[in-house]
Each structure stands twice: as C-alpha cells, then as structure tokens.
Amino acid sequence: MRTAKEIPDEVFSSNCDTLANCDAVIEVADIYTRDPLSTSPGGHLWTILLLVTSAVNVGLILSYQLFILLSPARATNTRKQVFLSQALLFGLLLGSSLGFAYSLEPSTASCVAIRIGTGLSYVLIYSAIMIKQVFLISLNTGVYLPVIYQILLFFFCILVQIAISIQWLVLVPPCQFDAQEHIFYLFYIFFLIFFVAFLSIKSVHIKENF
C-alpha cells in the first residue's frame, strides 16, 4: 500500500477549495492508496488458480478436438454436419482462454479481449445450442432446415453480439467499466439463455436429444 509520501503531489493540488473538489481529491487519493488484487497474497493465489483452471480447460478441449479429428466415426460419416459442434467447441475454448486475460494486469489489450471475448464466447456456445434445438424441433415436425439456413441463422446471431460489443467499445474506453456495466452489455446473452431454456423444455420429448 502506498503511504501519503508516495502519493503524487498533483493529487493534493490547490484545487481543493470547495467541498466537491475535496471529495474528488479524496477519491483520487483512495485510488492511489488502494491495494490491487494482484499484488495481495490472496490475489496471487486466485491468479494461480485461474491460470491452472484455464490451462486445464484449454488442454481438455484441444484433446477432445483432436480426438474428433482422428476418430474413425468421423471418416465414415462425412455427411454429418459438424460446424455447429465445432463452433460450440470454439466458444468453450475461447471462454476458457479468457482466464489468461483476466489474470493479466489491466491494459488496453486485456480489457478489449475481456470485453469482446466474453460476449463472443457465450454467443458462440448458446447460438450453436439454440440452432441445434431448432433443427431438432423442426425435424420432429417433418421440416428439414437446410444447412445454409443454419449457417445464416448462426451468423446473424453472432453478428448481434459483435455489434453490441463494438458499440460498447466506442461509447466507453476499454478499461473504464465496472462489473455491473459488463453484465448489462451481456443482456443479449441472457436472452439467448432464456430462449435456449425454453427450447429445451419444448424439445425434451424428442428422442434425438438423447
């Protein structure tokens, strides 16, 4: 923790002539004297745990991807559409990789990666699940959704989240956001989660789900 002597002189400038200005000076001084999480003993422990967990998840996902690529069943079933499964795996891989960004010191690159990567990983996961469920429900009613339709639907689902993330970066500087604001800009993800839950209830009786 910084002592009062270590706080820059500009924090205690002569601008503290009104109550509002004094409150602002005190707030800035509090930022300088606050212990960052990464420098505290508990912060180091959580950083190590986050790095280990992310590395294990990334390793498992890559191993499963390698197993799929080398699986004999894939070679004998070339007509099976696997792009949604690959998108789902990529979303899981991206979400697990974000643990490395969260463990870094805040910077423009890490903040942009967190803000864009979080929404992008979730939208890849839940869009893939949603389209799979829509396909099963349609197939159960006798309607076959062409692959091009699935690809277009998947593309537009992702495009919405990309537009939201870009707008957020334009309106708010990369590292100037808090947890509540981050959650608010994931409202589209929450919509997908609720919609996927609704489709899951609707398709629970379909045998192809099991």
Side-chain angles (χ1 to χ4, degrees):
M1 179 180 295
R2 294 191 180 189
T3 62
K5 294 181 180 180
E6 296 174 320
I7 300 175
D9 294 336
E10 59 267 18
V11 174
F12 297 104
S13 62
S14 59
N15 293 328
C16 187
D17 53 357
T18 64
L19 181 59
N21 288 338
C22 287
D23 290 339
V25 171
I26 293 173
E27 182 178 356
V28 174
D30 180 65
I31 295 175
Y32 275 100
T33 58
R34 190 181 306 146
D35 276 336
L37 180 63
S38 59
T39 59
S40 61
H44 284 304
L45 177 61
W46 279 110
T47 300
I48 294 174
L49 291 176
L50 181 59
L51 288 173
V52 171
T53 303
S54 299
V56 171
N57 285 342
V58 169
L60 290 175
I61 294 171
L62 291 178
S63 299
Y64 183 69
Q65 174 65 29
L66 184 62
F67 170 77
I68 292 177
L69 293 176
L70 300 178
S71 176
R74 183 179 182 274
T76 58
N77 194 11
T78 56
R79 293 185 179 181
K80 186 177 180 180
Q81 303 301 329
V82 295
F83 81 95
L84 288 177
S85 299
Q86 293 297 311
L88 178 58
L89 279 177
F90 180 71
L92 293 172
L93 179 63
L94 179 61
S96 299
S97 301
L98 285 177
F100 301 114
Y102 275 103
S103 64
L104 298 175
E105 291 292 334
S107 63
T108 301
S110 62
C111 290
V112 170
I114 290 172
R115 289 172 61 172
I116 294 181
T118 302
L120 183 59
S121 62
Y122 281 127
V123 78
L124 286 170
I125 294 170
Y126 289 106
S127 295
I129 297 175
M130 180 192 70
I131 296 173
K132 280 178 173 288
Q133 291 177 329
V134 170
F135 175 77
L136 288 176
I137 293 174
S138 301
L139 192 64
N140 189 60
T141 58
V143 178
Y144 180 83
L145 295 180
V147 177
I148 186 63
Y149 177 85
Q150 299 178 46
I151 294 176
L152 288 175
L153 182 58
F154 182 73
F155 171 76
F156 285 117
C157 288
I158 296 176
L159 195 61
V160 172
Q161 181 59 40
I162 292 177
I164 293 173
S165 298
I166 293 176
Q167 181 188 25
W168 186 23
L169 284 174
V170 171
L171 296 177
V172 181
C175 294
Q176 297 182 13
F177 69 98
D178 52 22
Q180 292 182 348
E181 189 175 10
H182 199 177
I183 293 174
F184 173 76
Y185 274 92
L186 293 176
F187 66 92
Y188 176 65
I189 304 300
F190 292 117
F191 167 76
L192 287 179
I193 292 174
F194 286 120
F195 192 58
V196 166
F198 169 76
L199 292 177
S200 299
I201 297 174
K202 188 175 181 180
S203 61
V204 68
H205 64 281
I206 300 177
K207 294 182 179 180
E208 285 79 359
N209 273 329
F210 303 98

